[in-house]
């Protein structure tokens, strides 16, 4: 397969399905209301861009939306610092996954290229170090790591 053919084929077969992609994320952390623990989940929205000049594709996280349904304790209990319940809406341009023409070719040669690329995106998310700024009970902001336990493309 010619170099430009690989990029064009990736552009026509894979790109349309990943141009704007919603992904449901579940965090390792839980929030509590004092009696019940709640899972913390977010919707991530991604965008994949193909650069035919550099022959690469880059997937970005463009938005993170969700809700902290209860409090999240930070540090030792004696410190009495916690994240308070709040909505989360972040617009960003976080570079999640970069693939070159060799990766494109490998993906296209897979029997199910769309599913295979989906696995690459999910794997990149699980290994990403994503910090979000959240409000605390002390009326301050703190950086909190999402700690992604699982993710599924919607």
């Amino acid at each position: 397969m010619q170099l430009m053919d690989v990029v064009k084929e990736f552009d026509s077969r894979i790109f349309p399905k990943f141009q704007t992609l919603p992904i449901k994320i579940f965090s390792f952390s839980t929030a509590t209301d004092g009696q019940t623990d709640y899972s913390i989940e977010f919707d991530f929205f991604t965008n994949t861009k193909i650069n035919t000049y550099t022959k690469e594709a880059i997937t970005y996280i463009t938005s993170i939306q969700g809700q902290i349904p209860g409090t999240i304790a930070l540090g030792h209990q004696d410190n009495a610092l916690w994240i308070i319940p709040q909505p989360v809406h972040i617009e960003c341009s976080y570079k999640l996954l970069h693939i070159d023409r060799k990766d494109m070719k490998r993906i296209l040669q897979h029997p199910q290229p769309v599913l295979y690329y989906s696995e690459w995106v999910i794997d990149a998310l699980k290994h990403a170090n994503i910090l979000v700024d959240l409000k605390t009970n002390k009326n301050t902001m703190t950086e909190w790591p999402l700690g992604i336990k699982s993710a599924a493309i919607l």
Side-chain angles (χ1 to χ4, degrees), residues 3-125:
L3 170 62
M4 205 55 190
D5 291 344
V6 169
V7 176
K8 284 181 181 178
E9 187 176 349
F10 192 89
D11 189 25
S12 67
R13 289 180 61 196
I14 306 296
F15 176 71
K17 295 181 178 44
F18 290 89
Q19 192 169 10
T20 304
L21 183 68
I23 303 171
K24 178 69 75 180
I25 303 294
F26 293 91
S27 175
F28 280 110
S29 298
T30 57
T32 183
D33 64 4
Q35 298 176 4
T36 307
D37 287 343
Y38 299 97
S39 62
I40 300 172
E41 56 188 74
F42 295 94
D43 291 327
F44 279 34
F45 296 90
T46 65
N47 189 340
T48 299
K49 296 183 180 190
I50 296 178
N51 185 326
T52 54
Y53 178 74
T54 60
K55 296 154 189 70
E56 62 187 7
I58 301 173
T59 299
Y60 296 91
I61 297 172
T62 57
S63 178
I64 301 171
Q65 299 175 21
Q67 179 76 28
I68 305 296
T71 60
I72 304 169
L74 299 174
H76 195 271
Q77 285 181 328
D78 293 341
N79 292 340
L81 180 66
W82 58 85
I83 294 170
I84 60 174
Q86 61 196 279
V88 176
H89 183 90
I90 300 167
E91 298 295 324
C92 57
S93 183
Y94 179 86
K95 187 176 182 177
L96 178 66
L97 178 62
H98 171 269
I99 63 169
D100 60 19
R101 60 179 158 56
K102 291 177 190 173
D103 293 332
M104 287 183 203
K105 186 174 181 178
R106 186 170 35 177
I107 290 165
L108 289 169
Q109 290 174 339
H110 191 274
Q112 294 180 305
V114 172
L115 179 62
Y116 190 49
Y117 188 64
S118 299
E119 292 170 0
W120 284 42
V121 172
I122 296 295
D123 191 53
L125 271 170

